[in-house]
Amino acid sequence: INGDFRDNPEIYQVYRAGTSELYPASELPISRALNGETLITVDDLEILKDGIRVPLRVNATSLADANGKTEYAISVFEDVTEVKKAEKELIKAKHEAEESGVLKEAFLANMSHEIRTPMNAIIGFTDLLLKSKMDAREKEFLGIIKTSGESLLHIINDILDISKIDARMMTFDAFPLSIKELFHSLMIMMTNKADAKNLILAFNCNPGVPDIVLGDAIRLTQVLINLVDNAIKFTEDGSVNVSAHVLSE
């Protein structure tokens, strides 16, 4: 075979994949095998067939005689058109997914900033109201509004730092909190939902639970709200009971 294939029929012309460069004869798997190499695999060559490039995966190996001298070589050619097509589609899908992720992150960051402004206003005006004269019940309700607003603001800050969520680096605080007070706030927040379905909602704190524990009140509130909300949603009649007791100290 002619060394650079230029004078050979089209079907024998071999190109480096994705280029107009002819594949050097000395680098072809069959040539390498005839020079003594074994177990060769390449998939960076293409041939022309009816004017269309066909990608090939080529395996080749040498076979030696009794004296260890290369006697001949075996080569297998595989049409990998569908494989290459699938690879391109995967690469395209990956790029689209990455682009979508960037857009999603930008959208979340923008929305988070937009939400923070009114949330800060709600918390600020709640603080002002708490300084005014009111009865104990009104003060309690306002306190819950403020706590809920601060919890939401905390969540928004997490959204702004979306990279931590993507990297599974969500952190938990460890500050003093009262389970009894948290239960009391949740009872007030969730009672209306339970009443709407004629359900009894109860929060019970076992006497053995310490008055103050260390934990992340915001995260714990999020978890309990989700659990109680789902419990109310999927309970047709009866009651929803939340209890706390000491597992170990």
Side-chain angles (χ1 to χ4, degrees), residues 184-246:
H184 181 65
S185 297
L186 288 171
M187 183 71 182
I188 295 172
M189 290 166 62
M190 308 298 289
T191 294
N192 285 341
K193 282 193 173 184
D195 288 345
K197 292 189 67 176
N198 295 317
L199 299 174
I200 297 170
L201 178 62
F203 286 84
N204 301 301
C205 202
N206 189 283
V209 175
D211 290 334
I212 299 296
V213 297
L214 289 177
D216 193 322
I218 290 174
R219 300 289 178 218
L220 182 56
T221 300
Q222 285 177 252
V223 171
L224 290 174
I225 286 175
N226 285 331
L227 289 173
V228 174
D229 192 54
N230 281 333
I232 292 172
K233 185 186 299 183
F234 296 109
T235 301
E236 295 304 321
D237 57 72
S239 63
V240 171
N241 300 286
V242 183
S243 62
H245 61 275
V246 177

Side-chain angles (χ1 to χ4, degrees), residues 49-200:
K49 183 180 180 183
D50 300 327
I52 298 173
R53 290 284 191 96
V54 178
L56 297 177
R57 178 183 292 130
V58 183
N59 295 282
T61 191
S62 61
L63 292 172
D65 59 19
N67 297 317
K69 182 180 179 181
T70 300
E71 188 172 10
Y72 57 91
I74 295 176
S75 186
V76 177
F77 297 78
E78 178 187 0
D79 182 344
V80 289
T81 300
E82 293 303 317
V83 173
K84 293 296 181 181
K85 181 181 177 183
E87 286 178 357
K88 287 180 181 179
E89 289 175 351
L90 281 173
I91 291 170
K92 181 183 176 184
K94 180 176 179 289
H95 288 160
E96 288 176 350
E98 288 172 349
E99 185 178 346
S100 174
V102 170
L103 291 174
K104 180 187 73 174
E105 191 170 328
F107 171 77
L108 286 174
N110 184 59
M111 288 303 297
S112 299
H113 282 296
E114 293 294 327
I115 295 169
R116 285 179 71 178
T117 301
M119 280 309 308
N120 280 318
I122 291 169
I123 294 169
F125 281 109
T126 303
D127 278 333
L128 289 174
L129 282 171
L130 283 169
K131 294 175 182 177
S132 63
K133 290 182 180 180
M134 62 185 71
D135 60 40
R137 189 72 169 164
E138 290 170 338
K139 205 173 188 73
E140 182 181 42
F141 286 164
L142 277 174
I144 292 170
I145 290 172
K146 182 184 177 185
T147 300
S148 299
E150 289 172 344
S151 296
L152 184 54
L153 200 57
H154 194 89
I155 295 167
I156 292 166
N157 289 333
D158 282 338
I159 295 172
L160 280 171
D161 197 2
I162 196 74
S163 60
K164 284 188 177 180
I165 299 173
D166 289 340
R168 299 182 182 276
M169 291 172 60
M170 182 72 74
T171 57
F172 291 86
D173 292 326
F175 295 113
L177 67 95
S178 168
I179 300 295
K180 293 175 184 177
E181 289 182 8
L182 191 147
F183 273 14
H184 181 65
S185 297
L186 288 171
M187 183 71 182
I188 295 172
M189 290 166 62
M190 308 298 289
T191 294
N192 285 341
K193 282 193 173 184
D195 288 345
K197 292 189 67 176
N198 295 317
L199 299 174
I200 297 170

